[in-house]
Amino acid sequence: METYDTKSCNDLAKLHYRPIDAALRWCGLIAHEMKILQAAGESQYPPLGSFPQWPCLRTNIERIIDAIETGELPHGRDGKTVIPGDHVAVTRRTIRHSDLKAWMAKHHPDQKPKFLFDDIERTAHPAINADSFRALQADRDALKARIEKAEEWAKVAIAEKKEWIAERSELVARLGAAEPLSTRERNSLHRIIGGLLELVKNPRDGRSDDAAVIRELVENYSDKEGISARKLQEVFPVARRLLSAD
């Protein structure tokens, strides 16, 4: 069963406000709304000296009225916006909620009254508006995805490193247990190294894999002891594993 969402609306907000309605909400005096409106009657202001404990009430009414009269703040008549320059009786002046919020954000960015701004907007830096906040969220989500991808890559890299270390240890153990090379075996390896050096000194296209290198070595040095396709196919994989392990 769905429950009532208390965040679906703002119980302090209205579609439009008279200057005094907006000012008393701006000051956080909604609990005293009835008393303030009764004191003001049909006037735009409460009587002078009527609420000395709330000096900002009159100041904020004056700010709103001044913004209306200077054209900073769009206004209307009984809730309906009028074109600039259209005369509206002061007792019928109203300001739309969205216009008041935009004016407040632009001209009083340090002020975030609850009836205009939600909790996120009230705690955000004045330079951060709703669009900026959403952009920051998108950047954060993208960064989070990159971090997760990097973590996955790191896991794979660590696993591969562990495999290399294990393989290296195994090869070292084998070498330690193996008998020393004979002169014949050592000379065969030296001949293979010599043949590879000659290939390096004379680079050309076509040596894209082990098979091509083995084929060229056999073609050039098959008369040398130790240089045969079978021998090279044994030596190359071991040499590559040792090189990677180091």
Side-chain angles (χ1 to χ4, degrees):
M1 180 178 178
E2 293 186 1
T3 57
Y4 176 68
D5 185 0
T6 58
K7 295 183 179 180
S8 62
C9 65
N10 184 337
D11 57 3
L12 298 177
K14 300 168 64 175
L15 292 177
H16 51 81
Y17 311 87
R18 294 177 299 162
I20 192 171
D21 297 329
L24 67 88
R25 284 168 170 76
W26 187 354
C27 294
L29 296 174
I30 192 68
H32 307 281
E33 181 178 26
M34 187 65 68
K35 179 167 58 175
I36 293 170
L37 295 181
Q38 286 177 346
E42 294 297 316
S43 174
Q44 296 187 90
Y45 304 91
L48 278 172
S50 55
F51 299 109
Q53 70 274 36
W54 303 321
C56 287
L57 175 60
R58 190 175 189 88
T59 299
N60 287 343
I61 296 173
E62 290 174 346
R63 286 174 172 174
I64 294 170
I65 292 174
D66 179 70
I68 290 173
E69 293 179 348
T70 58
E72 282 183 1
L73 179 57
H75 66 288
R77 180 186 294 109
D78 300 331
K80 296 182 179 180
T81 303
V82 298
I83 61 174
D86 192 358
H87 175 72
V88 180
V90 294
T91 57
R92 301 179 66 185
R93 281 178 177 172
T94 53
I95 313 107
R96 289 176 57 83
H97 179 93
S98 56
D99 291 333
L100 183 61
K101 180 176 180 178
W103 172 78
M104 185 79 71
K106 180 178 180 180
H107 295 280
H108 301 281
D110 60 322
Q111 300 289 307
K112 297 289 181 69
K114 290 180 67 174
F115 79 105
L116 290 177
F117 300 91
D118 61 29
D119 291 341
I120 293 176
E121 292 170 322
R122 283 166 55 80
T123 56
H125 188 277
I128 300 177
N129 56 27
D131 290 337
S132 299
F133 182 77
R134 284 190 287 270
L136 288 172
Q137 280 187 316
D139 290 343
R140 182 204 62 185
D141 293 342
L143 181 59
K144 182 179 178 182
R146 289 176 60 188
I147 291 173
E148 290 175 351
K149 187 175 181 180
E151 288 176 344
E152 288 299 319
W153 176 87
K155 289 179 182 178
V156 173
I158 291 171
E160 290 179 349
K161 182 179 180 181
K162 288 181 178 178
E163 290 179 3
W164 294 339
I165 292 173
E167 187 173 1
R168 179 179 180 276
S169 299
E170 182 181 353
L171 290 171
V172 170
R174 288 182 182 179
L175 289 173
E179 295 181 0
L181 292 175
S182 66
T183 301
R184 182 179 179 183
E185 290 172 328
R186 186 178 294 106
N187 288 341
S188 293
L189 292 176
H190 286 164
R191 291 188 189 97
I192 292 172
I193 294 171
L196 290 172
L197 287 173
E198 290 301 317
L199 296 188
V200 171
K201 288 164 57 178
N202 299 283
R204 68 175 183 80
D205 295 336
R207 297 172 185 158
S208 57
D209 53 26
D210 287 0
V213 174
I214 290 172
R215 185 166 53 251
E216 188 169 348
L217 284 173
V218 172
E219 288 175 356
N220 294 339
Y221 307 107
S222 60
D223 60 326
K224 305 297 183 182
E225 185 178 359
I227 298 183
S228 66
R230 184 179 64 81
K231 182 65 175 178
L232 294 173
Q233 288 167 356
E234 291 177 359
V235 170
F236 277 20
V238 175
R240 180 173 288 103
R241 285 198 299 271
L242 285 170
L243 188 62
S244 298
D246 292 339

